[in-house]
Amino acid sequence: MADDKVLEKNGLYYPPQSFVDKAHINSFEQYQQMYKRSIDDPEGFWGEMAQGFHWEKTWDKVLEFNYHRSKGPISIEWYKGAKTNMTYNCIDRHLETRGDQPALLWEGNEPGEDRIITYRQLYEHVCKFANVLKGFGIKKGDRVTIYLPMIPELAISMLACARIGAIHSVVFGGFSAESLKDRIVDSKCSLVITSDGTYRGGKAVTLKQIADEAMDHSEKEGVTVPKVVVVERVGAGKGIECPMKQGRDQYWHDLVATAEGDCPVEWMDAEDPLFILYTSGSTGKPKGVQHTTAGYMVYVSLTHKYVFDYHDGDVYWCTADIGWVTGHSYILYGPLLNGAQSLMFEGVPTYPDSGRFWDVVDKWKVDIFYTAPTAIRAVMRMGDDFVTKYSRKSLQLLGTVGEPINPEAWRWYNEVVGDSHCPIVDTWWQTETGGILITPLPGAIPTKPGSATLPFFGVQPCLLDDEGKEVEGNGVSGRLAIKAPWPGQLRTTYGSHERFETVYFSDFDGFYFTGDGAKRDEDGYYWITGRVDDVINVSGHRMGTAEVESALVSHPTVAEAAVVGFPHEIKGQGIYAYVTLKVGEEYSEQLKKDLVLHVRKEIGPIASPDVIHWAPALPKTRSGKIMRRILRKMAAGESDFGDTSTLADPSVVGTLVEMKGK
Ligand code: ATP
Ligand code: MG
């Protein structure tokens, strides 16, 4: 059916008619109307959006805030006076209507290893573990560090904490002992939950020994963790050790075996903390971003419903790790609040081969698929065959988050993965924002490859110039800031409100500053150009990294590119491009020349790279983002690259050094 395709007209992509017909928000006018209302009357709008939840007590006031440091401490309060509980809203509220419906669909690392957990079963698991926590004396406000792979116990632990009012601090299972130690020390947690090990591709690796090392070191910094719970994920005979410390460490299965299957919830104040999550550290020392209960709950539920156009019965899959905010908001909380079936994937996109994503999509008949540009580029690099050999018939919507998506990768995602019948939502947001802020609503907002398009309800983005003055109109660029609070916003950074105010509210009085640069095109669409700190200034022309990278990636031989500035005698800064080629392409001097010409043609002479540096792989954070800090140092000819321990694969750096000048 011709009208069942995504249609392109003058650079805008429109959703298939069949998608529009069933969409919650199904016209641009409806989006505009609701958006206008959300801005004109935020309290009325957000009061209404909070209706479907269980409130033990309703609020006295929807919103109270101060965004001006010049007028006193920054404060943001939503639904003040209300009492509720996140876990109650995620599970208990659904028991009557969907107790036997799957809540979590778990796909293990090995194909064929899986588990389905219904809402009722989840209730029981969570209550049991909540009772275990209480047995340890954990109470409201205590911090619990969770260092687990993508197994159901991770979700259960978080929900159990939220049930009794403990604050979870999830640390991504790929982090080193050093990173884990920093997070244990900063949060002064009373408990660590970990596992014996985890799988990386086909291989079992230890987690417990890393956790032990982290706790040994935290002790030296004055933080002793009294209790440790260990999930047996790998088990004996797989070549990993799981030393247990007497009096401190206990196995999960022993503890829950005797625990009660019911546990009353702790009613929380709207602004009581729900969790701390340390940012991924692309730019420096991670910050303990603190989110609270009621506003976060309403915001992640509503964005999950509208951005992914979620309908009852849809199978929803976000491929992120729960160790990142994407997993908190859009694997666990948002989907469960909406009574969804949320797929949780333990493995990686390349194991057992590069077709795993689509194998899983077909197996579970996934309707909605949400991933990151880094994963899209990785599978794209391996060729289309890995995708096209699977049917992918169930897919209705595709999403992306984490970095700007290059238009070339966007088109590939649309045409090859989505067979041109799935709208794509490019969602811009941050750990700090709790949920998606700039995004298409798929049935209402036509998309442009590479643009996150327009603000979600209640979100007021703006662009600021160097002096902090708002840049009005369209066809402009600047620093991306937000003018007023939205319910999912962070409230503080753990342990230091001062740090929170300095990082986000001191550059521009009266604005939340995101740290990102953006442009607003003639249609008012937003394009994230990269982090402001990464902007390159060539002969007085300021350039975001995203544009030059996208131009490179649009060359047929290029899989991925990272661009940084380097000191240049004449221009002030020159453009230095690291380029990864597609599988099967070969390095040559001629290709370097072709790439430079290609960028000149795509953007203009000002953007011509001065140096092309072949990169078999790029240094990335463990969440898959390119770490430009290291690339900048290498381009400048430095040999000390600073802390490389937060890289997913530190050996990439050595390989890159060897490739210099080749
Ligand atoms: P840190 O703040 O510790 O340096 P981080 O910013 O990488 O780490 P996250 O909160 O995970 O940690 O990432 C948010 C950032 O990711 C955004 O500020 C933006 O730079 C980038 N980003 C996320 N989604 C998009 C998107 N759809 N388009 C462009 N950039 C995006
Ligand atoms: Mg950030």
Side-chain angles (χ1 to χ4, degrees):
M1 243 173 16
D3 66 353
D4 245 320
K5 292 265 177 203
V6 171
L7 279 184
E8 197 238 305
K9 220 166 114 190
N10 302 328
L12 283 169
Y13 288 68
Y14 295 84
Q17 190 55 44
S18 56
F19 190 96
V20 176
D21 288 344
K22 67 163 188 54
H24 292 297
I25 313 283
N26 60 13
S27 71
F28 194 67
E29 292 66 39
Q30 190 188 357
Y31 159 71
Q32 280 180 311
Q33 218 173 22
M34 281 178 77
Y35 180 73
K36 185 167 185 309
R37 158 110 208 278
S38 74
I39 303 304
D40 293 347
D41 175 20
E43 295 204 52
F45 180 85
W46 288 110
E48 213 169 276
M49 292 303 140
Q51 291 306 332
F53 300 88
H54 173 85
W55 300 97
E56 191 61 12
K57 176 181 174 293
T58 55
W59 50 90
D60 305 317
K61 184 98 177 70
V62 174
L63 171 63
E64 244 168 48
F65 73 104
N66 170 38
Y67 250 37
H68 289 265
R69 222 182 169 198
S70 57
K71 294 182 188 162
I74 303 292
S75 69
I76 301 151
E77 290 174 292
W78 284 91
Y79 306 110
K80 199 172 172 175
K83 280 196 181 293
T84 187
N85 179 282
M86 179 58 120
T87 301
Y88 188 92
N89 278 284
C90 284
I91 305 177
D92 304 40
R93 188 167 53 110
H94 300 309
L95 289 179
E96 216 170 284
T97 50
R98 56 179 91 235
D100 297 324
Q101 183 211 291
L104 296 175
L105 308 170
W106 181 72
E107 169 81 12
N109 180 61
E110 273 318 311
E113 192 185 13
D114 54 35
R115 239 174 112 180
I116 294 177
I117 300 176
T118 66
Y119 276 89
R120 195 175 315 284
Q121 290 164 338
L122 189 59
Y123 171 83
E124 209 167 289
H125 289 303
V126 168
C127 283
K128 283 189 176 173
F129 195 65
N131 283 323
V132 169
L133 293 175
K134 281 168 111 174
F136 285 136
I138 308 273
K139 52 183 193 316
K140 180 175 168 179
D142 290 349
R143 278 81 52 216
V144 172
T145 297
I146 306 176
Y147 182 62
L148 284 175
M150 282 285 284
I151 53 177
E153 287 81 357
L154 170 52
I156 294 165
S157 303
M158 293 163 77
L159 291 160
C161 287
R163 191 168 191 87
I164 64 163
I167 303 169
H168 58 70
S169 163
V170 178
V171 179
F172 171 56
F175 269 127
S176 62
E178 174 77 10
S179 306
L180 176 59
K181 183 264 303 172
D182 286 343
R183 288 155 173 79
I184 289 172
V185 170
D186 192 75
S187 68
K188 300 184 189 62
C189 60
S190 329
L191 178 77
V192 168
I193 305 168
T194 187
S195 69
D196 56 348
T198 181
Y199 289 98
R200 299 266 149 78
K203 202 168 151 255
V205 295
T206 181
L207 269 197
K208 178 62 167 54
Q209 285 173 306
I210 298 174
D212 283 348
E213 197 187 324
M215 287 183 281
D216 285 348
H217 291 151
S218 75
E219 215 163 303
K220 296 193 186 107
E221 295 183 24
V223 177
T224 303
V225 179
K227 292 284 173 199
V228 176
V229 177
V230 182
V231 180
E232 193 171 58
R233 164 62 188 122
V234 174
K238 298 278 172 55
I240 61 161
E241 304 273 322
C242 182
M244 297 289 277
K245 188 166 165 183
Q246 272 260 310
R248 186 192 71 176
D249 304 353
Q250 277 169 282
Y251 277 112
W252 175 291
H253 55 259
D254 291 335
L255 291 161
V256 296
T258 54
E260 284 281 329
D262 279 304
C263 172
V265 305
E266 180 82 32
W267 297 114
M268 305 292 283
D269 286 332
E271 287 296 342
D272 276 336
L274 176 67
F275 67 84
I276 307 167
L277 181 60
Y278 292 85
T279 55
S280 59
S282 304
T283 49
K285 190 175 179 284
K287 302 167 276 280
V289 168
Q290 184 169 309
H291 285 286
T292 59
T293 305
Y296 176 82
M297 175 174 85
V298 173
Y299 198 74
V300 296
S301 166
L302 199 75
T303 44
H304 176 260
K305 175 179 167 186
Y306 286 145
V307 174
F308 301 106
D309 196 49
Y310 173 77
H311 292 266
D312 240 1
D314 284 348
V315 174
Y316 164 89
W317 182 18
C318 165
T319 72
D321 192 288
I322 291 184
W324 312 120
V325 74
T326 306
H328 281 58
S329 301
Y330 299 114
I331 295 177
L332 192 67
Y333 290 123
L336 294 189
L337 285 164
N338 293 335
Q341 309 185 52
S342 184
L343 199 149
M344 185 174 172
F345 176 44
E346 187 189 29
V348 292
T350 48
Y351 179 80
D353 66 35
S354 295
R356 184 69 187 279
F357 273 170
W358 327 116
D359 179 40
V360 175
V361 163
D362 280 359
K363 171 176 169 184
W364 295 96
K365 306 210 166 32
V366 172
D367 295 275
I368 302 163
F369 179 78
Y370 188 32
T371 195
T374 180
I376 297 168
R377 291 188 302 254
V379 289
M380 181 174 156
R381 186 176 183 215
M382 306 308 291
D384 297 0
D385 293 351
F386 280 111
V387 187
T388 51
K389 74 177 196 210
Y390 295 97
S391 107
R392 294 157 286 114
K393 253 199 348 252
S394 57
L395 289 175
Q396 305 199 39
L397 178 78
L398 304 172
T400 147
V401 60
E403 284 182 295
I405 180 165
N406 318 113
E408 196 61 28
W410 193 103
R411 286 194 197 92
W412 183 84
Y413 199 27
N414 174 46
E415 280 156 34
V416 180
V417 175
D419 278 332
S420 299
H421 79 249
C422 304
I424 295 178
V425 288
D426 174 359
T427 63
W428 174 84
W429 59 296
Q430 311 177 295
T431 308
E432 295 88 340
T433 69
I436 295 165
L437 294 198
I438 302 184
T439 176
L441 297 184
I445 299 177
T447 52
K448 299 182 189 184
S451 168
T453 75
L454 296 169
F456 189 73
F457 303 134
V459 176
Q460 297 188 59
C462 61
L463 301 175
L464 304 176
D465 66 15
D466 293 346
E467 275 74 55
K469 245 184 79 228
E470 205 180 325
V471 190
E472 307 277 351
N474 289 340
V476 292
S477 60
R479 288 144 201 266
L480 182 62
I482 317 285
K483 282 201 253 189
W486 62 98
Q489 181 171 23
L490 85 162
R491 304 297 198 262
T492 191
T493 46
Y494 187 77
S496 171
H497 198 63
E498 165 76 28
R499 187 171 183 206
F500 160 78
E501 294 184 332
T502 312
V503 174
Y504 306 106
F505 288 93
S506 65
D507 290 313
F508 308 106
D509 196 45
F511 297 92
Y512 165 80
F513 178 46
T514 66
D516 286 342
K519 65 181 190 198
R520 190 165 52 224
D521 72 11
E522 297 301 338
D523 296 322
Y525 277 34
Y526 287 87
W527 299 72
I528 309 302
T529 50
R531 292 163 204 276
V532 172
D533 298 343
D534 294 334
V535 163
I536 310 172
N537 195 330
V538 183
S539 310
H541 296 267
R542 292 158 67 90
M543 241 173 299
T545 49
E547 204 175 3
V548 188
E549 286 163 7
S550 290
L552 284 162
V553 172
S554 73
H555 192 274
T557 60
V558 176
E560 188 156 45
V563 164
V564 295
F566 74 109
H568 190 286
E569 268 182 32
I570 302 152
K571 304 190 223 176
Q573 269 191 316
I575 297 181
Y576 196 109
Y578 297 84
V579 174
T580 305
L581 296 180
K582 285 192 184 148
V583 170
E585 300 293 342
E586 278 176 33
Y587 306 129
S588 73
E589 282 307 310
Q590 186 55 46
L591 183 53
K592 280 191 181 177
K593 288 189 190 129
D594 290 349
L595 291 179
V596 172
L597 273 176
H598 181 72
V599 176
R600 278 179 86 98
K601 197 170 97 255
E602 293 285 306
I603 309 179
I606 190 74
S608 303
D610 297 280
V611 181
I612 303 267
H613 183 143
W614 299 125
L618 291 167
K620 292 190 181 166
T621 63
R622 285 164 208 263
S623 60
K625 297 181 196 211
I626 298 166
M627 220 200 267
R628 291 188 184 73
R629 173 166 64 79
I630 291 168
L631 296 175
R632 249 193 316 263
K633 290 194 167 150
M634 198 180 293
E638 292 174 32
S639 51
D640 175 11
F641 303 119
D643 181 14
T644 55
S645 68
T646 60
L647 288 176
D649 177 6
S651 76
V652 165
V653 178
T655 314
L656 268 187
V657 171
E658 273 169 36
M659 293 300 289
K660 194 163 182 169
K662 293 207 174 140

